[in-house]
Amino acid sequence: MAGRSAAGELATWDEVPGFWSSIGSHTLKYAAWGDGYDESRFDRRPDGSFTAWYGRDGRIVGVLTHECDPDYERGRELIARGERWS
């Protein structure tokens, strides 16, 4: 993406970009288009895991998870489809 843009080519993401980072025994995963958000929702679970959902203009645009891989994968799909908040 960066290389194409630097070379003057039009570059767009084929998939929702994401990354994850392990800090000690904890893993955070994040996926988003990166264009900002105007709403967020936070789901905390009793086991200490959590998911933060990010939305803009009524649509899901980002997801951040801690020890909740199913939400990360589901979030990437919802973001790619431009799903609305439920």
Side-chain angles (χ1 to χ4, degrees):
M1 206 48 184
R4 285 185 178 174
S5 293
E9 294 181 26
L10 178 62
T12 59
W13 293 101
D14 294 333
E15 296 181 22
V16 177
F19 71 90
W20 58 88
S21 179
S22 293
I23 304 167
S25 62
H26 303 283
T27 300
L28 294 171
K29 294 186 175 185
Y30 180 73
W33 289 122
D35 296 331
Y37 64 96
D38 58 21
E39 183 178 0
S40 64
R41 297 180 186 171
F42 190 76
D43 298 327
R44 183 184 307 257
R45 292 170 191 77
D47 65 0
S49 65
F50 64 80
T51 300
W53 298 94
Y54 300 93
R56 185 180 61 249
D57 298 327
R59 300 198 180 277
I60 299 169
V61 296
V63 62
L64 169 72
T65 64
H66 171 256
E67 304 299 333
C68 197
D69 291 347
D71 278 0
Y72 176 77
E73 296 301 329
R74 180 172 161 252
R76 289 188 66 166
E77 293 171 10
L78 295 174
I79 296 163
R81 291 196 309 257
E83 290 289 327
R84 300 193 67 76
W85 290 106
S86 56

